[in-house]
mmCIF file with all atom_site columns, all heavy atoms in Angstrom:
data_model
loop_
_atom_site.group_PDB
_atom_site.id
_atom_site.type_symbol
_atom_site.label_atom_id
_atom_site.label_alt_id
_atom_site.label_comp_id
_atom_site.label_asym_id
_atom_site.label_entity_id
_atom_site.label_seq_id
_atom_site.pdbx_PDB_ins_code
_atom_site.Cartn_x
_atom_site.Cartn_y
_atom_site.Cartn_z
_atom_site.occupancy
_atom_site.B_iso_or_equiv
_atom_site.pdbx_formal_charge
_atom_site.auth_seq_id
_atom_site.auth_comp_id
_atom_site.auth_asym_id
_atom_site.auth_atom_id
_atom_site.pdbx_PDB_model_num
ATOM 1  N N   . LYS A 1 145 ? 8.089  -5.304  4.422  1.00 85.00 ? 145 LYS A N   1
ATOM 2  C CA  . LYS A 1 145 ? 9.400  -5.661  3.908  1.00 85.00 ? 145 LYS A CA  1
ATOM 3  C C   . LYS A 1 145 ? 10.331 -6.206  4.988  1.00 85.00 ? 145 LYS A C   1
ATOM 4  O O   . LYS A 1 145 ? 11.454 -6.597  4.704  1.00 85.00 ? 145 LYS A O   1
ATOM 5  C CB  . LYS A 1 145 ? 10.042 -4.431  3.259  1.00 85.00 ? 145 LYS A CB  1
ATOM 6  C CG  . LYS A 1 145 ? 9.246  -3.861  2.096  1.00 85.00 ? 145 LYS A CG  1
ATOM 7  C CD  . LYS A 1 145 ? 9.883  -2.587  1.573  1.00 85.00 ? 145 LYS A CD  1
ATOM 8  C CE  . LYS A 1 145 ? 9.059  -1.975  0.453  1.00 85.00 ? 145 LYS A CE  1
ATOM 9  N NZ  . LYS A 1 145 ? 9.652  -0.689  -0.030 1.00 85.00 ? 145 LYS A NZ  1
ATOM 10 N N   . MET A 1 146 ? 9.860  -6.202  6.228  1.00 86.00 ? 146 MET A N   1
ATOM 11 C CA  . MET A 1 146 ? 10.702 -6.630  7.343  1.00 86.00 ? 146 MET A CA  1
ATOM 12 C C   . MET A 1 146 ? 10.633 -8.129  7.573  1.00 86.00 ? 146 MET A C   1
ATOM 13 O O   . MET A 1 146 ? 9.576  -8.747  7.421  1.00 86.00 ? 146 MET A O   1
ATOM 14 C CB  . MET A 1 146 ? 10.266 -5.929  8.642  1.00 86.00 ? 146 MET A CB  1
ATOM 15 C CG  . MET A 1 146 ? 10.471 -4.445  8.690  1.00 86.00 ? 146 MET A CG  1
ATOM 16 S SD  . MET A 1 146 ? 9.946  -3.794  10.304 1.00 86.00 ? 146 MET A SD  1
ATOM 17 C CE  . MET A 1 146 ? 10.153 -2.030  10.048 1.00 86.00 ? 146 MET A CE  1
ATOM 18 N N   . HIS A 1 147 ? 11.751 -8.693  7.985  1.00 85.00 ? 147 HIS A N   1
ATOM 19 C CA  . HIS A 1 147 ? 11.776 -10.065 8.466  1.00 85.00 ? 147 HIS A CA  1
ATOM 20 C C   . HIS A 1 147 ? 11.126 -10.072 9.849  1.00 85.00 ? 147 HIS A C   1
ATOM 21 O O   . HIS A 1 147 ? 11.070 -9.041  10.534 1.00 85.00 ? 147 HIS A O   1
ATOM 22 C CB  . HIS A 1 147 ? 13.214 -10.556 8.552  1.00 85.00 ? 147 HIS A CB  1
ATOM 23 C CG  . HIS A 1 147 ? 13.352 -12.003 8.924  1.00 85.00 ? 147 HIS A CG  1
ATOM 24 N ND1 . HIS A 1 147 ? 13.456 -12.415 10.243 1.00 85.00 ? 147 HIS A ND1 1
ATOM 25 C CD2 . HIS A 1 147 ? 13.397 -13.130 8.165  1.00 85.00 ? 147 HIS A CD2 1
ATOM 26 C CE1 . HIS A 1 147 ? 13.556 -13.734 10.279 1.00 85.00 ? 147 HIS A CE1 1
ATOM 27 N NE2 . HIS A 1 147 ? 13.523 -14.190 9.019  1.00 85.00 ? 147 HIS A NE2 1
ATOM 28 N N   . SER A 1 148 ? 10.623 -11.213 10.289 1.00 83.00 ? 148 SER A N   1
ATOM 29 C CA  . SER A 1 148 ? 9.935  -11.286 11.584 1.00 83.00 ? 148 SER A CA  1
ATOM 30 C C   . SER A 1 148 ? 10.821 -10.806 12.722 1.00 83.00 ? 148 SER A C   1
ATOM 31 O O   . SER A 1 148 ? 10.339 -10.168 13.674 1.00 83.00 ? 148 SER A O   1
ATOM 32 C CB  . SER A 1 148 ? 9.470  -12.719 11.851 1.00 83.00 ? 148 SER A CB  1
ATOM 33 O OG  . SER A 1 148 ? 10.556 -13.625 11.817 1.00 83.00 ? 148 SER A OG  1
ATOM 34 N N   . SER A 1 149 ? 12.102 -11.083 12.635 1.00 82.00 ? 149 SER A N   1
ATOM 35 C CA  . SER A 1 149 ? 13.020 -10.622 13.682 1.00 82.00 ? 149 SER A CA  1
ATOM 36 C C   . SER A 1 149 ? 13.143 -9.105  13.665 1.00 82.00 ? 149 SER A C   1
ATOM 37 O O   . SER A 1 149 ? 13.294 -8.468  14.721 1.00 82.00 ? 149 SER A O   1
ATOM 38 C CB  . SER A 1 149 ? 14.400 -11.253 13.498 1.00 82.00 ? 149 SER A CB  1
ATOM 39 O OG  . SER A 1 149 ? 14.957 -10.898 12.235 1.00 82.00 ? 149 SER A OG  1
ATOM 40 N N   . GLU A 1 150 ? 13.080 -8.505  12.488 1.00 87.00 ? 150 GLU A N   1
ATOM 41 C CA  . GLU A 1 150 ? 13.129 -7.050  12.381 1.00 87.00 ? 150 GLU A CA  1
ATOM 42 C C   . GLU A 1 150 ? 11.879 -6.416  12.967 1.00 87.00 ? 150 GLU A C   1
ATOM 43 O O   . GLU A 1 150 ? 11.945 -5.340  13.568 1.00 87.00 ? 150 GLU A O   1
ATOM 44 C CB  . GLU A 1 150 ? 13.269 -6.635  10.919 1.00 87.00 ? 150 GLU A CB  1
ATOM 45 C CG  . GLU A 1 150 ? 14.583 -6.962  10.271 1.00 87.00 ? 150 GLU A CG  1
ATOM 46 C CD  . GLU A 1 150 ? 14.635 -6.470  8.841  1.00 87.00 ? 150 GLU A CD  1
ATOM 47 O OE1 . GLU A 1 150 ? 14.088 -7.159  7.956  1.00 87.00 ? 150 GLU A OE1 1
ATOM 48 O OE2 . GLU A 1 150 ? 15.191 -5.374  8.608  1.00 87.00 ? 150 GLU A OE2 1
#
Side-chain angles (χ1 to χ4, degrees):
K145 300 176 183 178
M146 294 182 185
H147 185 270
S148 57
S149 60
E150 291 182 279

